[in-house]
Amino acid sequence: MQIFLILCLIPLTIDIDDLSAQLHLDTGLAYMQQGLLEQAEEEFHLTLDISEDYHSAVLGLGMVHAIRQSWDSATNYFKRYIETCPGDYRGFYELSKLYLETDKPDSAVIMLDNAFIRAPTVPEIWLQTGRAWLELGEMDAAEIWFSKGLQSEGSTDLESLVLLASVYRRTSRGAEARVILLPVIERGYAPACWELARVYLGWDDYLRAGDAISRYLMLSPEGYYADSALLVLEELGESGRYIP
């Protein structure tokens, strides 16, 4: 009778452990999205303490350390995840992002090739691959990947378009860049304003460049390019080439 009860309780224990591990994993991911890195790290470790089969917690730990710019620790976690889950593109993708952050675009391309083989329809991989080739100065390859990114409407298509415009600008096709940027600016996408300003600066069209920069700062006063935009706008004002 006692043996029968023990056998009945074993599946229940396993189910509870699985539920607990999944809960800690989900909580860790939620904390990470909120920028609460210490809490996220603790939850991921708790997940692995319960069950080492929840490999996504290893990936989460790598992402936490990458956000902290603890590059060596992040690399180790990502490589550990790749070894454990070689068929999942996410380990290669996250490691490619780290390599781009640490000025290793050639290594990023290798990781992205592996990610693409495993998930050829993921637009984030297309965008990241274009970025890596752009960093390497390979404009033709970058253009192919950014153009591919325009085929899928979603979270990456606008960024792909702006980066494609950047390729046009760098290859003396500023007029083409302007054509594809203007509709995006009308939709209120701030990075397109900054890219258009760079096109105008290349043409020495300081009036329209200043207007584009001002619009960028209005749309995104604390955006990624805000400091650079303010600096350029101040320089244009001091030189008398732009009067708001």
Side-chain angles (χ1 to χ4, degrees):
M1 183 65 177
Q2 289 179 341
I3 295 175
F4 175 76
L5 289 173
I6 292 172
L7 290 174
C8 289
L9 288 172
I10 287 175
L12 180 60
T13 304
I14 294 173
D15 288 344
I16 291 174
D17 285 346
D18 283 346
L19 288 171
S20 180
Q22 186 64 55
L23 178 60
H24 283 298
L25 177 60
D26 292 342
T27 303
L29 292 171
Y31 277 140
M32 187 168 62
Q33 290 177 351
Q34 298 171 44
L36 302 173
L37 301 184
E38 290 185 9
Q39 293 91 325
E41 183 178 11
E42 181 179 356
E43 292 295 329
F44 291 141
H45 280 301
L46 287 171
T47 302
L48 294 172
D49 288 341
I50 296 169
S51 175
E52 293 185 355
D53 292 335
Y54 281 77
H55 307 300
S56 291
V58 175
L59 184 67
L61 286 168
M63 294 168 72
V64 166
H65 283 278
I67 295 170
R68 288 175 175 159
Q69 298 187 349
S70 300
W71 305 125
D72 289 342
S73 295
T75 300
N76 290 335
Y77 278 118
F78 291 146
K79 287 183 176 180
R80 176 179 163 187
Y81 183 78
I82 289 170
E83 290 173 2
T84 308
C85 304
D88 188 347
Y89 80 91
R90 293 180 298 168
F92 298 98
Y93 176 72
E94 292 297 334
L95 188 53
S96 77
K97 290 166 62 178
L98 183 153
Y99 283 145
L100 275 183
E101 286 285 338
T102 54
D103 298 322
K104 299 175 183 176
D106 49 347
S107 297
V109 166
I110 295 172
M111 291 299 105
L112 287 162
D113 284 345
N114 280 282
F116 180 73
I117 290 171
R118 290 158 177 80
T121 61
V122 175
E124 287 80 7
I125 295 175
W126 309 343
L127 176 64
Q128 192 78 346
T129 304
R131 284 182 173 279
W133 285 117
L134 191 63
E135 289 292 321
L136 288 168
E138 297 290 342
M139 296 299 158
D140 290 342
E143 182 174 345
I144 290 171
W145 285 101
F146 294 142
S147 297
K148 186 175 179 64
L150 300 182
Q151 299 171 13
S152 176
E153 293 187 7
S155 60
T156 63
D157 58 333
L158 294 181
E159 190 172 359
S160 295
L161 188 146
V162 172
L163 287 169
L164 179 61
S166 174
V167 171
Y168 289 165
R169 173 176 56 81
R170 300 180 197 204
T171 53
S172 303
R173 290 179 286 169
E176 293 179 51
R178 179 177 180 273
V179 168
I180 65 173
L181 287 169
L182 287 175
V184 184
I185 290 173
E186 291 304 314
R187 294 169 60 181
Y189 189 62
C193 300
W194 174 244
E195 183 57 40
L196 183 61
R198 299 177 75 178
V199 171
Y200 287 142
L201 287 170
W203 293 346
D204 295 335
D205 189 342
Y206 302 117
L207 180 60
R208 288 196 289 182
D211 288 342
I213 293 172
S214 296
R215 186 163 185 176
Y216 171 79
L217 292 170
M218 179 185 68
L219 291 171
S220 185
E222 297 181 1
Y224 183 80
Y225 303 106
D227 290 342
S228 298
L230 278 171
L231 182 62
V232 173
L233 199 61
E234 289 173 0
E235 289 177 351
L236 290 176
E238 291 173 359
S239 68
R241 290 177 291 183
Y242 174 71
I243 302 175

